[in-house]
Amino acid sequence: MFDQLGWLLVPVVAASGWWWARRNLPAARSSGARWDVHYFEGLNYLLNEEQDKAVEVFIKMLEVNNDTVEIHLALGHLFRRRGEVDRAIRLHQNLSVRPHLNAQQRDHAVFELAQDYLSAGLLDRAEKLFVELKDSRYCGAQALGCLVDVYEREREWGAAIVAAREWERASGVRRRGLIAQHLCELSDEARASGDLASALHSARQALRENKSSVRASLLIGDIEQTLGQPQRAIRAYLRIEKQNAGFIGEAIDPLMTCWTGIGELDSAHRFLLHLYERYGNYQALLAITRFFEQRHGEAQVRKMLVDRLYAQPSVMGMQRLVELLMRHKNSASEDLSLVKQLLERLAEESIAYVCSHCGFGGKNLFWQCPGCRNWDSIQPRWAFQTAKGV
């Protein structure tokens, strides 16, 4: 029974047979049936599920010329897709050095070879070929896009930014979101090394590049807070609601720290109520309960929390309620302790962030999806569910 490669080879074999018959039938009649022998030898290997031998026979049969280049390229692409990268590399290497190829065919073959190297993790080789192709009139824009991918994998953010700007010019498509993410990566690296001035500069550049960059606003807020500038940090954090309200929960704790530090608790309280009433943000709800407890006492916060949970249940809200109930020593305290542990475990195992592009879910926030490698596609789950009407 054919496996996937066997079935996929059938059209390649048929095409090669049709091409050979159309181009070489007179020569075949004069030179005997040697080609027919090889052809049926390959088919025999294919029928016996000996795909490796069949492929070698068919490749040898197909003389590389202008009529068969596309067949070779398709076969190499098939190998790479099947994970047989070594075989794809050999085929594309052989094809790319053929002297009679025209410029378009050669560039296409080299581009496929570079993608083979990229699939194999040979980033240096892939980079060299993509750089060679970036000015190609046939695949220059594609090569620049792949070059950006190479620099991202190598974490060469400065080079990625340069390549992304060239990609913009070559393709005519703006890449502001992508460039802003690269600038944020530079900011993160500078911040980790203690260079806050450079970190703040890169984050501000990212925000100028993409006014909707939540990540840039979070970075600016965090850096300004570290530099002892709470008012500037607050302005940066508050910007997130207009950029993407789904992410405002990420700024609640640092906002509370800033407002508490400058004694503006009323501003904090009003903002939390606004977030919960408008968006149903559970992180805002938890912060509100802490305010209520400080100002109105435990009994009032329990009542408020129960009312809110009836209207909109949440695991984190239940955890907070159980925590409040456990403070009172009674016969149910052990049962409540167990319930609290189970809720904590449920919260730990639950998905907090979801990729809107591929559906990848996880507990941690990634700015580039580990599943599909798209930037800016990860959303907080509560915001994602609200958008989807879940």
PDB file of all heavy atoms in Angstrom, residues 12 64 91 133 148 184 193 221 231 244 253 290 345 367:
ATOM      1  N   VAL A  12       4.399  13.190 -10.182  1.00  0.00           N
ATOM      2  CA  VAL A  12       5.739  13.540 -10.650  1.00  0.00           C
ATOM      3  C   VAL A  12       6.178  12.554 -11.728  1.00  0.00           C
ATOM      4  O   VAL A  12       6.712  12.923 -12.771  1.00  0.00           O
ATOM      5  CB  VAL A  12       6.738  13.549  -9.481  1.00  0.00           C
ATOM      6  CG1 VAL A  12       8.156  13.801  -9.994  1.00  0.00           C
ATOM      7  CG2 VAL A  12       6.354  14.612  -8.467  1.00  0.00           C
ATOM      8  N   VAL A  64      18.188  17.408 -16.363  1.00  0.00           N
ATOM      9  CA  VAL A  64      17.871  18.775 -15.943  1.00  0.00           C
ATOM     10  C   VAL A  64      17.973  19.707 -17.143  1.00  0.00           C
ATOM     11  O   VAL A  64      19.045  19.886 -17.712  1.00  0.00           O
ATOM     12  CB  VAL A  64      18.833  19.248 -14.831  1.00  0.00           C
ATOM     13  CG1 VAL A  64      18.502  20.688 -14.441  1.00  0.00           C
ATOM     14  CG2 VAL A  64      18.731  18.334 -13.621  1.00  0.00           C
ATOM     15  N   LEU A  91      19.428  17.601  -3.820  1.00  0.00           N
ATOM     16  CA  LEU A  91      18.758  17.866  -5.099  1.00  0.00           C
ATOM     17  C   LEU A  91      18.885  19.341  -5.475  1.00  0.00           C
ATOM     18  O   LEU A  91      19.230  19.668  -6.614  1.00  0.00           O
ATOM     19  CB  LEU A  91      17.289  17.465  -4.991  1.00  0.00           C
ATOM     20  CG  LEU A  91      16.492  17.416  -6.306  1.00  0.00           C
ATOM     21  CD1 LEU A  91      15.385  16.378  -6.210  1.00  0.00           C
ATOM     22  CD2 LEU A  91      15.892  18.767  -6.648  1.00  0.00           C
ATOM     23  N   LEU A 133      20.245  36.604  -2.225  1.00  0.00           N
ATOM     24  CA  LEU A 133      19.024  36.705  -3.027  1.00  0.00           C
ATOM     25  C   LEU A 133      18.192  37.951  -2.747  1.00  0.00           C
ATOM     26  O   LEU A 133      17.205  38.192  -3.440  1.00  0.00           O
ATOM     27  CB  LEU A 133      18.136  35.476  -2.758  1.00  0.00           C
ATOM     28  CG  LEU A 133      18.620  34.132  -3.296  1.00  0.00           C
ATOM     29  CD1 LEU A 133      17.766  33.018  -2.719  1.00  0.00           C
ATOM     30  CD2 LEU A 133      18.568  34.112  -4.814  1.00  0.00           C
ATOM     31  N   VAL A 148      14.664  37.867   7.837  1.00  0.00           N
ATOM     32  CA  VAL A 148      14.159  38.344   9.128  1.00  0.00           C
ATOM     33  C   VAL A 148      13.964  37.169  10.083  1.00  0.00           C
ATOM     34  O   VAL A 148      14.326  37.231  11.262  1.00  0.00           O
ATOM     35  CB  VAL A 148      12.831  39.112   8.947  1.00  0.00           C
ATOM     36  CG1 VAL A 148      12.186  39.407  10.300  1.00  0.00           C
ATOM     37  CG2 VAL A 148      13.063  40.418   8.198  1.00  0.00           C
ATOM     38  N   CYS A 184      11.462  46.178  21.023  1.00  0.00           N
ATOM     39  CA  CYS A 184      11.154  45.759  22.402  1.00  0.00           C
ATOM     40  C   CYS A 184      12.121  44.685  22.882  1.00  0.00           C
ATOM     41  O   CYS A 184      12.499  44.659  24.062  1.00  0.00           O
ATOM     42  CB  CYS A 184       9.716  45.260  22.495  1.00  0.00           C
ATOM     43  SG  CYS A 184       8.464  46.566  22.422  1.00  0.00           S
ATOM     44  N   SER A 193      20.619  43.941  31.207  1.00  0.00           N
ATOM     45  CA  SER A 193      22.035  44.240  31.450  1.00  0.00           C
ATOM     46  C   SER A 193      22.231  45.469  32.343  1.00  0.00           C
ATOM     47  O   SER A 193      23.368  45.848  32.643  1.00  0.00           O
ATOM     48  CB  SER A 193      22.769  44.445  30.121  1.00  0.00           C
ATOM     49  OG  SER A 193      22.316  45.630  29.477  1.00  0.00           O
ATOM     50  N   GLY A 221       6.536  51.829  31.113  1.00  0.00           N
ATOM     51  CA  GLY A 221       6.030  51.966  32.477  1.00  0.00           C
ATOM     52  C   GLY A 221       6.955  51.327  33.501  1.00  0.00           C
ATOM     53  O   GLY A 221       7.278  51.922  34.538  1.00  0.00           O
ATOM     54  N   GLN A 231       4.690  59.031  38.009  1.00  0.00           N
ATOM     55  CA  GLN A 231       3.686  59.706  37.187  1.00  0.00           C
ATOM     56  C   GLN A 231       3.853  59.340  35.712  1.00  0.00           C
ATOM     57  O   GLN A 231       2.873  59.082  35.008  1.00  0.00           O
ATOM     58  CB  GLN A 231       3.788  61.233  37.368  1.00  0.00           C
ATOM     59  CG  GLN A 231       3.412  61.725  38.764  1.00  0.00           C
ATOM     60  CD  GLN A 231       1.912  61.681  39.006  1.00  0.00           C
ATOM     61  OE1 GLN A 231       1.148  61.176  38.185  1.00  0.00           O
ATOM     62  NE2 GLN A 231       1.488  62.204  40.154  1.00  0.00           N
ATOM     63  N   ASN A 244      -5.102  48.228  23.592  1.00  0.00           N
ATOM     64  CA  ASN A 244      -5.763  46.921  23.573  1.00  0.00           C
ATOM     65  C   ASN A 244      -6.240  46.628  24.990  1.00  0.00           C
ATOM     66  O   ASN A 244      -5.471  46.186  25.840  1.00  0.00           O
ATOM     67  CB  ASN A 244      -4.812  45.828  23.096  1.00  0.00           C
ATOM     68  CG  ASN A 244      -5.504  44.489  22.899  1.00  0.00           C
ATOM     69  OD1 ASN A 244      -6.529  44.207  23.521  1.00  0.00           O
ATOM     70  ND2 ASN A 244      -4.950  43.648  22.048  1.00  0.00           N
ATOM     71  N   ASP A 253      -1.251  45.580  38.706  1.00  0.00           N
ATOM     72  CA  ASP A 253      -0.364  45.549  39.878  1.00  0.00           C
ATOM     73  C   ASP A 253       0.654  46.694  39.871  1.00  0.00           C
ATOM     74  O   ASP A 253       0.814  47.383  40.893  1.00  0.00           O
ATOM     75  CB  ASP A 253       0.336  44.198  39.980  1.00  0.00           C
ATOM     76  CG  ASP A 253      -0.604  43.099  40.468  1.00  0.00           C
ATOM     77  OD1 ASP A 253      -1.677  43.438  41.019  1.00  0.00           O
ATOM     78  OD2 ASP A 253      -0.282  41.914  40.301  1.00  0.00           O
ATOM     79  N   ARG A 290      -9.347  44.045  47.774  1.00  0.00           N
ATOM     80  CA  ARG A 290      -8.334  44.493  48.734  1.00  0.00           C
ATOM     81  C   ARG A 290      -8.635  45.916  49.212  1.00  0.00           C
ATOM     82  O   ARG A 290      -8.459  46.242  50.388  1.00  0.00           O
ATOM     83  CB  ARG A 290      -6.944  44.387  48.106  1.00  0.00           C
ATOM     84  CG  ARG A 290      -6.495  42.951  47.847  1.00  0.00           C
ATOM     85  CD  ARG A 290      -5.016  42.868  47.510  1.00  0.00           C
ATOM     86  NE  ARG A 290      -4.723  43.368  46.173  1.00  0.00           N
ATOM     87  CZ  ARG A 290      -4.733  42.620  45.086  1.00  0.00           C
ATOM     88  NH1 ARG A 290      -5.040  41.327  45.167  1.00  0.00           N
ATOM     89  NH2 ARG A 290      -4.437  43.138  43.898  1.00  0.00           N
ATOM     90  N   ARG A 345      -4.948  24.734  42.320  1.00  0.00           N
ATOM     91  CA  ARG A 345      -4.437  23.788  41.322  1.00  0.00           C
ATOM     92  C   ARG A 345      -5.133  23.989  39.980  1.00  0.00           C
ATOM     93  O   ARG A 345      -4.497  23.940  38.921  1.00  0.00           O
ATOM     94  CB  ARG A 345      -4.652  22.358  41.813  1.00  0.00           C
ATOM     95  CG  ARG A 345      -4.106  21.302  40.858  1.00  0.00           C
ATOM     96  CD  ARG A 345      -4.210  19.926  41.471  1.00  0.00           C
ATOM     97  NE  ARG A 345      -3.755  18.910  40.527  1.00  0.00           N
ATOM     98  CZ  ARG A 345      -3.745  17.609  40.776  1.00  0.00           C
ATOM     99  NH1 ARG A 345      -4.150  17.161  41.944  1.00  0.00           N
ATOM    100  NH2 ARG A 345      -3.333  16.753  39.862  1.00  0.00           N
ATOM    101  N   TRP A 367       5.159  37.162  23.553  1.00  0.00           N
ATOM    102  CA  TRP A 367       4.881  38.177  22.545  1.00  0.00           C
ATOM    103  C   TRP A 367       4.987  37.589  21.141  1.00  0.00           C
ATOM    104  O   TRP A 367       4.386  38.096  20.198  1.00  0.00           O
ATOM    105  CB  TRP A 367       5.824  39.362  22.712  1.00  0.00           C
ATOM    106  CG  TRP A 367       5.631  40.045  24.022  1.00  0.00           C
ATOM    107  CD1 TRP A 367       6.464  40.029  25.100  1.00  0.00           C
ATOM    108  CD2 TRP A 367       4.503  40.836  24.427  1.00  0.00           C
ATOM    109  NE1 TRP A 367       5.928  40.753  26.147  1.00  0.00           N
ATOM    110  CE2 TRP A 367       4.730  41.267  25.752  1.00  0.00           C
ATOM    111  CE3 TRP A 367       3.324  41.231  23.794  1.00  0.00           C
ATOM    112  CZ2 TRP A 367       3.824  42.064  26.459  1.00  0.00           C
ATOM    113  CZ3 TRP A 367       2.416  42.027  24.489  1.00  0.00           C
ATOM    114  CH2 TRP A 367       2.675  42.431  25.803  1.00  0.00           C
TER     115      TRP A 367
END
